[in-house]
Amino acid sequence: MNLETEKTMSSPNSIQPKRTAELEELLIDAEADDEVVQQSHPLLKRPWLLLLGLILVALNLRPALSSMAPMLSEVSKSLGLSAAQAGLLTTLPVLCLGLFAPLAPILARRFGAERVVLGILLTLAGGIILRSSFGEVGLFAGSVLAGASIGVIGVLLPGIVKRDFAKHAGTMTGVYTMALCLGAAMAAGATVPLSEHFDHSWTMGLGIWIVPALVAAMFWLPQVGQKHGAHNVAYRVRGLLRDPLAWQVTLYMGLQSSLAYIVFGWLPSILIGRGLTPTQAGLVLSGSVIVQLASSLAAPWLATRGKDQRLAIVVVMLLTLGGLFGCLYAPLDGLWGWAILLGLGQGGTFSLALTLIVLRSRDSHVAANLSSMAQGFGYTLASMGPFAVGVVHDWTGGWNAVGWIFGVIGLGAIIAGLGAGRSLYVQVVSEKL
């Protein structure tokens, strides 16, 4: 039994080149504790087919979330939902991201990651149909199923990318991030026009996103059976739940995610309340998400130039808050500028959250466990933000008061980030069985 205790960094400068190199592997492997997986390097007969499948799967990890936002007013009006119920509708998928993420490595070890991804793509498609075709009950049940599906795939997909494209992990990190942003932007911008095309049917506008899920499943099918079977867990990491630094990373992940999912769930409704049409509001959200691509790629690189990440965390969070307050209060003439500012901030906050998981971990086993903790607890915390916006809007009958929610969450993220951004390692025991 080999025990290694994680300690604080004694010489940050001496390890900077190593840590910078490791940032090319921001794709956290959910099966990093699995010795069989880590030691296997499969020969890919058709890497282009796997790459295409991965991109198509990644494209499906946001549309179920971002497609609802521009349609939320229409859905609420059609089904008679209160603002609090609409807030619950935006909350449930995010809550499920956290609750179901820890199941991903368990399922992968039992059935193989490729099989699980295929099966969960089909459950995602089922969730999309359920929420768009079976009234109020189906709406909420389908949102739960879709959120759970995204939570599982979102944990497994980076590990598959990292394993099968190990020599191009940095490039693939960019491709993966680009696919996520593109999927979110497509759904945010196209859902309302599609619903208008189908005789102003919100059910068709939301249900149409089953098509990319089924297409992804079709192109992913050849991967099933090539790498599967039960695995042997070789490592166990103990002590994360008792480590303050791990909780600071988790809180930063959760709080910045809370603002992100408030934007996904409520920004179009806020803009519609300020006088924009649903189509215009969806396009603003779409444009803001597209802008995230630039900062999500640049922020981790810039953050590793200094001695720690605290300054970068404060900068990107201030950009995010500036964009949010601008979209909420500033004159609409400058709306696109505020949306761009918001996108630059939120792209940076998300990628820095992933960066912190890597930088605060001494090895891949710790990173996998810290990632699971940050996503599990973090997304559960994040789900409270969209719900709070719905409740406050219900109480006040307007949107002005939700600025307080933005400010409190943003301040909390900065405080947590100042702790998580220090040049330290989490103090845990990595135990080889």
Side-chain angles (χ1 to χ4, degrees):
M1 187 175 293
N2 180 29
L3 299 181
E4 181 181 359
T5 303
E6 308 298 332
K7 300 177 181 178
T8 60
M9 299 182 189
S10 57
S11 179
N13 293 333
S14 64
I15 63 170
Q16 185 66 31
K18 174 186 175 184
R19 306 311 294 172
T20 301
E22 288 181 0
L23 284 181
E24 295 181 357
E25 300 185 0
L26 284 180
L27 300 167
I28 303 296
D29 191 347
E31 297 182 271
D33 288 346
D34 194 316
E35 195 166 67
V36 175
V37 174
Q38 291 296 299
Q39 291 178 353
S40 64
H41 301 282
L43 180 63
L44 300 178
K45 296 180 181 180
R46 290 175 292 180
W48 65 268
L49 184 59
L50 174 58
L51 177 60
L52 178 60
L54 287 167
I55 292 173
L56 290 174
V57 174
L59 281 171
N60 282 277
L61 296 186
R62 291 296 179 267
L65 303 174
S66 61
S67 62
M68 178 61 74
M71 297 298 302
L72 191 57
S73 297
E74 181 64 27
V75 173
S76 299
K77 187 183 302 181
S78 174
L79 297 178
L81 302 180
S82 68
Q85 288 176 307
L88 181 61
L89 185 61
T90 62
T91 296
L92 283 175
V94 184
L95 179 62
C96 290
L97 292 180
L99 294 180
F100 286 86
L103 289 179
I106 299 173
L107 292 173
R109 291 181 183 117
R110 176 66 179 84
F111 301 105
E114 286 74 19
R115 288 181 178 178
V116 174
V117 169
L118 177 63
I120 298 298
L121 275 173
L122 298 179
T123 66
L124 173 61
I128 293 171
I129 284 295
L130 188 60
R131 75 172 187 171
S132 62
S133 305
F134 293 91
E136 184 176 341
V137 173
L139 184 68
F140 284 92
S143 296
V144 169
L145 188 57
S149 302
I150 294 169
V152 172
I153 295 179
V155 173
L156 290 180
L157 203 62
I160 297 174
V161 173
K162 184 177 177 180
R163 180 194 63 199
D164 292 338
F165 295 94
K167 295 182 179 179
H168 306 283
T171 301
M172 288 304 301
T173 302
V175 171
Y176 177 72
T177 304
M178 180 178 66
L180 288 177
C181 292
L182 182 59
M186 286 171 50
T191 298
V192 173
L194 285 171
S195 71
E196 292 175 348
H197 177 74
F198 292 107
D199 198 24
H200 294 273
S201 171
W202 66 262
T203 59
M204 287 299 297
L206 295 179
I208 195 69
W209 298 105
I210 190 178
V211 174
L214 293 177
V215 170
M218 180 179 67
F219 279 91
W220 188 257
L221 185 60
Q223 307 306 323
V224 175
Q226 295 187 22
K227 299 170 278 293
H228 59 83
H231 302 300
N232 298 314
V233 178
Y235 283 85
R236 180 172 58 197
V237 175
R238 295 186 288 114
L240 273 180
L241 295 180
R242 298 189 301 270
D243 185 75
L245 181 58
W247 280 109
Q248 289 163 348
V249 172
T250 298
L251 285 173
Y252 177 73
M253 168 66 85
L255 292 169
Q256 66 84 24
S257 295
S258 188
L259 291 177
Y261 289 112
I262 286 174
V263 169
F264 276 139
W266 285 110
L267 182 61
S269 296
I270 292 172
L271 296 178
I272 291 170
R274 298 197 64 196
L276 270 66
T277 66
T279 299
Q280 290 171 330
L283 289 174
V284 170
L285 174 59
S286 178
S288 182
V289 173
I290 284 291
V291 171
Q292 290 183 21
L293 180 60
S295 57
S296 65
L297 297 178
W301 184 84
L302 292 173
T304 55
R305 301 304 99 181
K307 63 178 183 179
D308 59 37
Q309 290 72 51
R310 286 177 290 185
L311 177 60
I313 287 169
V314 172
V315 169
V316 294
M317 188 53 63
L318 290 178
L319 289 175
T320 298
L321 290 175
L324 281 170
F325 286 127
C327 289
L328 184 59
Y329 299 121
L332 291 178
D333 291 344
L335 179 60
W336 275 101
W338 295 114
I340 291 172
L341 188 67
L342 175 62
L344 290 173
Q346 290 202 305
T349 59
F350 175 68
S351 59
L352 280 180
L354 298 180
T355 303
L356 292 176
I357 293 172
V358 175
L359 293 180
R360 302 293 85 89
S361 305
R362 190 178 291 276
D363 58 41
S364 62
H365 310 294
V366 176
N369 282 268
L370 182 56
S371 177
S372 179
M373 175 180 173
Q375 291 186 72
F377 288 104
Y379 286 142
T380 302
L381 172 64
S383 67
M384 297 301 102
F387 182 68
V389 170
V391 171
V392 169
H393 177 60
D394 215 11
W395 282 347
T396 63
W399 296 109
N400 287 340
V402 302
W404 287 98
I405 298 176
F406 298 160
V408 170
I409 295 175
L411 179 60
I414 289 175
I415 293 172
L418 289 175
R422 295 172 297 163
S423 188
L424 304 172
Y425 286 130
V426 293
Q427 297 184 20
V428 299
V429 174
S430 183
E431 183 178 49
K432 187 174 183 180
L433 304 179

